Amino acid sequence: MADTLIKNAKIVTEGKIFEGDVLIQNDIISKIADSISAKPNVRVIDAEGDFLIPGVIDDQVHFREPGLTHKATIASESRAAIAGGITSFIEQPNTVPNAVTQELLEEKYAIAAKTSYANYSFMMGGTNDNLEEILKTNPKNVAGIKLFLGSSTGNMLVDNPQVIESIFSSTDLLIAVHCEDETTIKNNLALYKEKFGDKIPVNKHHLIRSAEACYISSSNAIALAQKTGARLHVFHLSTAKEMELFTNKIPLEQKKITAEVCIHHLWFTNEDYETKGNFIKWNPAVKTIEDRDALWKALLDDRIDVIATDHAPHTLEEKSKSYLEAPSGGPLVQHALVAMFEFYHQGKISIEKIVEKMCHNPAKIFSIEKRGFIKEGYFADLVLINPSKPWRVSKENILYKCEWSPFEGTNFKSRITHTFVNGELVFHNAKVNDTILAGKRLLFNR
């Protein structure tokens, strides 16, 4: 691996932006300074004043392997991720078979070791009857435990209160939860089936998987975490009501209950169902403008700690079915970072805050070893972004295996020009370097 010197960058890290150079030696950031002289045999990249940020850490993706590879693979989606500036991902257990034993979990790691373009970790899945397996999870090399407290893609609903409390009481590992109350959803669905039969319009999705369903489940999970002392991380929050459950009164490092919001809940509202239909059908549902505004407020005042994607691809054929038959989820890793930069251009969020929520905080919350910051001695996961290089999302430049995006036709003002994973230049000039699989297994300081 050749040493690389990045010159004339606007370096964004730890709440500051400053002009400088970064020297990469092997897989490590070895020096950061105002000016570094290039030595012989060092590759020099002139950033020309573009922003240099730490590689994004996406704490919630569904890459569909094993068992659902007609939708996506670890290779295809990690390849799209590095094109989007995401250099590390944490993947969820609702693959086929579900990753609910240590053996099945390690099989996923083995696939990623051979095929992943980005750094990787996988969540251990919880069920109503696998507590013994959960307790075998190694905190040093597994991101955490995932519980589906509301059903979604896959059959992993954990709905036994005694089991949930046992899990919360028995592990020091981070427990990440999908929160939607199943009874509320079933009752709402019955009402809309009575009214529309099998032809329920997709714009009723946020009323079926309602704000009430989200609040009941998330408030119960938080109450249980407070009772048991569990380390809880609430995935993909989507409602204004839930924001009252979280605090910004203590530093992130002291929080035992943390919160995540996803790109689609910050971008879309229920009004977009009219044009996007099932292509913005997610669980939890995209909700109202008022909900979106409340999510933004909580993100900016630090009640919400992390921005993620919940990248969850399905085929065009699957998404083109009727509302009741079409699965929930959509692909986002290639476009998440540039989507957030659109909000920077609108004056809605600073670049420093984007980096905090997408790079620093996931590293802190999961205690990821030497990633998420631009620091000497840290792994060289780095992204250069030109904020003034417009492009349009089209079929031709979408890299997801499913070949579609909810952002198709969107014009973005910013472009990712370079992505480094462990010091390797894996994406440049709008092309992935398919000869390099630089991803490594994430390790955790626990």
Side-chain angles (χ1 to χ4, degrees):
M1 183 192 302
D3 292 349
T4 300
L5 177 60
I6 303 171
K7 293 193 68 66
N8 305 312
K10 289 179 181 171
I11 300 167
V12 189
T13 191
E14 297 182 271
K16 298 176 182 177
I17 300 178
F18 57 95
E19 294 185 6
D21 300 350
V22 173
L23 178 63
I24 301 168
Q25 293 184 293
N26 296 316
D27 57 353
I28 297 296
I29 298 169
S30 65
K31 188 175 182 180
I32 304 166
D34 292 341
S35 181
I36 302 172
S37 298
K39 294 182 178 179
N41 301 318
V42 173
R43 172 176 56 190
V44 178
I45 294 173
D46 189 347
E48 299 179 338
D50 288 350
F51 292 105
L52 181 69
I53 74 167
V56 171
I57 301 169
D58 192 342
D59 77 353
Q60 187 188 182
V61 303
H62 303 264
F63 282 178
R64 305 304 193 199
E65 190 173 10
L68 299 166
T69 53
H70 67 287
K71 301 175 191 278
T73 65
I74 290 169
S76 68
E77 308 313 284
S78 65
R79 185 173 182 270
I82 61 171
I86 293 171
T87 58
S88 299
F89 64 84
I90 298 173
E91 209 261 358
Q92 304 307 302
N94 56 331
T95 39
V96 179
N98 299 150
V100 295
T101 69
Q102 296 302 318
E103 181 181 8
L104 291 169
L105 184 63
E106 285 304 319
E107 286 177 6
K108 294 177 74 168
Y109 279 105
I111 295 168
K114 295 177 182 177
T115 66
S116 185
Y117 289 82
N119 305 309
Y120 52 88
S121 190
F122 298 90
M123 300 288 274
M124 174 67 180
T127 71
N128 282 325
D129 56 8
N130 77 330
L131 180 59
E132 286 188 15
E133 286 293 316
I134 287 174
L135 296 180
K136 295 176 187 175
T137 305
N138 185 345
K140 298 290 186 183
N141 64 9
V142 176
I145 310 300
K146 171 67 177 290
L147 301 181
F148 287 87
L149 304 183
S151 63
S152 192
T153 302
N155 185 28
M156 290 193 64
L157 178 65
V158 185
D159 58 359
N160 184 319
Q162 288 75 34
V163 167
I164 297 168
E165 184 160 352
S166 293
I167 294 171
F168 274 54
S169 301
S170 302
T171 181
D172 293 327
L173 273 168
L174 179 147
I175 301 169
V177 288
H178 174 133
C179 288
E180 291 181 285
D181 181 65
E182 195 70 10
T183 299
T184 302
I185 293 167
K186 286 180 177 177
N187 290 341
N188 290 340
L189 181 58
L191 288 172
Y192 282 94
K193 276 190 170 181
E194 188 176 327
K195 185 173 182 179
F196 294 101
D198 291 336
K199 296 183 178 180
I200 300 174
V202 67
N203 64 9
K204 306 304 179 190
H205 186 56
H206 72 294
L207 302 174
I208 294 170
R209 301 188 81 100
S210 63
E212 179 191 20
C214 294
Y215 182 81
I216 290 170
S217 183
S218 54
S219 60
N220 285 341
I222 288 167
L224 186 57
Q226 291 168 336
K227 174 184 174 183
T228 59
R231 174 66 186 88
L232 182 68
H233 185 52
V234 186
F235 275 160
H236 46 43
L237 289 153
S238 63
T239 75
K241 179 72 171 168
E242 289 169 295
M243 296 306 97
E244 69 189 43
L245 299 170
F246 299 93
T247 184
N248 58 2
K249 298 188 187 306
I250 57 174
L252 177 62
E253 290 81 359
Q254 296 176 25
K255 289 184 180 182
K256 292 208 73 174
I257 299 169
T258 49
E260 174 206 275
V261 68
C262 290
I263 297 293
H264 45 286
H265 292 124
L266 295 173
W267 188 284
F268 299 106
T269 74
N270 62 300
E271 293 180 2
D272 295 305
Y273 288 122
E274 298 302 327
T275 55
K276 297 287 185 180
N278 289 331
F279 295 106
I280 62 163
K281 183 188 176 191
W282 275 279
N283 299 338
V286 167
K287 295 185 173 67
T288 66
I289 291 172
E290 291 75 22
D291 289 307
R292 184 180 65 181
D293 289 348
L295 293 172
W296 267 105
K297 188 172 188 299
L299 177 70
L300 295 173
D301 71 18
D302 295 334
R303 283 173 290 162
I304 291 178
D305 307 293
V306 170
I307 301 167
T309 68
D310 193 16
H311 174 92
H314 300 283
T315 67
L316 272 169
E317 181 183 2
E318 290 167 331
K319 276 296 201 178
S320 298
K321 294 180 179 180
S322 68
Y323 165 72
L324 286 173
E325 293 183 316
S328 293
L332 280 168
V333 289
Q334 187 182 348
H335 305 106
L337 181 56
V338 290
M340 288 308 303
F341 262 67
E342 286 302 294
F343 294 123
Y344 155 71
H345 284 293
Q346 295 169 18
K348 203 161 190 174
I349 189 170
S350 69
I351 293 174
E352 298 96 315
K353 185 65 79 172
I354 292 171
V355 168
E356 176 189 320
K357 303 294 185 178
M358 300 185 81
C359 310
H360 300 341
N361 286 0
K364 289 180 179 180
I365 285 170
F366 286 87
S367 301
I368 299 172
E369 186 177 289
K370 293 184 178 180
R371 301 191 191 274
F373 294 82
I374 301 179
K375 286 184 178 180
E376 292 179 2
Y378 271 54
F379 290 107
D381 299 336
L382 298 165
V383 180
L384 273 168
I385 306 169
N386 184 327
S388 305
K389 196 170 186 179
W391 64 290
R392 183 178 178 86
V393 181
S394 67
K395 282 268 189 263
E396 292 69 35
N397 56 38
I398 290 170
L399 298 182
Y400 312 126
K401 185 172 182 178
C402 67
E403 299 182 331
W404 66 272
S405 166
F407 287 116
E408 190 171 339
T410 301
N411 294 303
F412 288 121
K413 293 184 176 67
S414 306
R415 188 188 295 252
I416 292 157
T417 62
H418 302 69
T419 302
F420 294 85
V421 175
N422 297 307
E424 296 277 15
L425 181 58
V426 294
F427 179 78
H428 177 46
N429 285 334
K431 291 182 180 179
V432 174
N433 185 341
D434 286 309
T435 66
I436 300 174
L437 290 173
K440 295 182 179 181
R441 183 169 182 162
L442 296 176
L443 299 176
F444 304 90
N445 294 314
R446 300 168 177 155

